[in-house]
Amino acid sequence: MTSTTDADAATPDGYDALRAQLATLTTEAFRPELAEIDQLPTAEIAAIMNGEDSTVPAAVSRVLPLIAAAIDATAERMARGGRLIYAGAGTAGRLGVLDASECPPTFNTDPSEVIGLIAGGPSAMVTAVEGAEDSKELAAADLDGLGLTADDTVVGISASGRTPYAVGAVEHARSRGALTLGLSCNADSALGAAAEHGLEVVVGPELLTGSTRLKAGTAQKLVLNMISTITMIRLGKTYGNLMVDVRASNEKLRARSRRIVSLATGATDQEIEAALAATDGEVKNAVLTILGGVDGPTASRLLADSHGHLRAALAAVRTT
């Protein structure tokens, strides 16, 4: 399915217009000083790339106040039961799916709480789905398939800031009352204008002309790390800098769980094993049983009453 606007782009005049549009984008700019980079020694190319990458954190820092405001708004919605939904195409879509897929093991979220949508569906993670990114209607249909609500947050991701799928996702979500974020790497982008929170991280032209999996992709990954991680901190998924909601789904994570309980409590190995046994392996609950001196069921109740915030649950123990 293609929108009328994008169908027009398939005509010769439409392609001319699209080429003209791309020529205005910083992420698509040609760098003549790198025109013979393929003639350089490998070590020199690597040094150039490393220098390029080192500029990305500074670009992110310039929009930190905007990122923080977007995260606070996201956390407020999620605290009400809303979901965090990423929507993008190509590299941007893959980065969203990656970030979403890492939340369940890291923060013990349900897979339905943080979702990554990529234009063309799951197969587009490894194989390009031609034309999918050009459809605003496809984005709207994908969101409708999730039963979008006003408590949800939709993050459109597009390096260019013009990708119809990402822009369409944000426009549709905003029309449904959802919170919208637009993450792009060009100033004054269509995506930024469409979203309630426009996050435009301008990283400049790429080493390879138009290859936005490079600096733009790195910038998007950094911002997505912030959005998911700090939102989860705000939701009480951590205790200090400890991942007390980690899901122990393999041997490494089971060992990490015990280490987290140890770091949080200073308890002996025997005490840690007893606490985890009493709380069905739930790290946060185990920490509360040790620090609060309560049993497993009481820890579970206190955490439910505090909406999962361990510090609040500990404060409740100490005031009783």
Side-chain angles (χ1 to χ4, degrees):
M1 182 188 297
T2 48
S3 65
T4 302
T5 300
D6 300 315
D8 290 343
T11 67
D13 287 345
Y15 282 127
D16 287 342
L18 181 54
R19 282 202 301 271
Q21 183 185 36
L22 292 177
T24 68
L25 301 178
T26 302
T27 51
E28 297 289 331
F30 173 68
R31 299 175 63 179
E33 76 275 18
L34 297 176
E36 296 187 4
I37 192 172
D38 58 328
Q39 302 298 307
L40 298 176
T42 299
E44 191 169 340
I45 299 173
I48 292 171
M49 284 194 70
N50 182 243
E52 292 287 303
D53 291 341
S54 70
T55 68
V56 176
V60 174
S61 72
R62 289 192 284 272
V63 293
L64 284 178
L66 300 178
I67 294 171
I71 291 170
D72 283 339
T74 300
E76 181 182 347
R77 301 270 180 134
M78 291 197 76
R80 301 202 301 258
R83 298 165 295 176
L84 174 58
I85 303 167
Y86 298 126
T91 297
R94 294 183 187 99
L95 288 169
V97 172
L98 173 63
D99 198 76
S101 69
E102 290 176 341
C103 286
T106 307
F107 301 111
N108 203 17
T109 59
D110 188 273
S112 65
E113 292 181 76
V114 185
I115 301 168
L117 295 177
I118 183 169
S123 64
M125 285 292 292
V126 293
T127 305
V129 179
E130 299 299 333
E133 73 171 54
D134 294 328
S135 176
K136 289 186 176 183
E137 292 88 349
L138 179 60
D142 286 347
L143 288 173
D144 285 342
L146 295 177
L148 190 71
T149 76
D151 282 333
D152 293 329
T153 298
V154 173
V155 184
I157 315 167
S158 165
S160 68
R162 60 153 298 278
T163 305
Y165 184 88
V167 175
V170 164
E171 290 175 342
H172 185 69
R174 197 164 185 179
S175 74
R176 294 293 191 270
L179 180 71
T180 54
L181 283 58
L183 174 57
S184 72
C185 294
N186 280 292
D188 304 317
S189 66
L191 181 59
E196 185 176 345
H197 294 268
L199 308 176
E200 297 175 335
V201 185
V202 181
V203 294
E206 298 285 4
L207 179 89
L208 301 180
T209 306
S211 183
T212 52
R213 72 184 186 88
L214 301 177
K215 287 190 297 186
T218 299
Q220 291 168 334
K221 180 67 167 70
L222 292 177
V223 176
L224 293 177
N225 281 349
M226 289 184 183
I227 291 172
S228 58
T229 301
I230 302 174
T231 295
M232 295 302 160
I233 290 172
R234 294 275 77 89
L235 294 175
K237 294 288 187 178
T238 66
Y239 179 64
N241 64 343
L242 297 175
M243 297 181 292
V244 288
D245 260 338
V246 66
R247 179 178 296 168
S249 55
N250 58 40
E251 287 300 323
K252 181 188 75 174
L253 293 178
R254 278 188 280 275
R256 180 177 291 164
S257 295
R258 282 152 178 78
R259 184 167 185 268
I260 289 171
V261 178
S262 174
L263 289 169
T265 65
T268 66
D269 288 347
Q270 184 176 0
E271 290 171 327
I272 290 169
E273 292 302 325
L276 286 168
T279 57
D280 296 322
E282 294 289 342
V283 173
K284 184 186 289 183
N285 299 49
V287 171
L288 182 55
T289 64
I290 295 171
L291 294 183
V294 298
D295 59 21
T298 301
S300 180
R301 177 181 58 79
L302 288 168
L303 284 167
D305 290 345
S306 66
H307 305 287
H309 290 261
L310 179 53
R311 290 191 190 277
L314 283 167
V317 171
R318 290 162 182 162
T319 56
T320 57

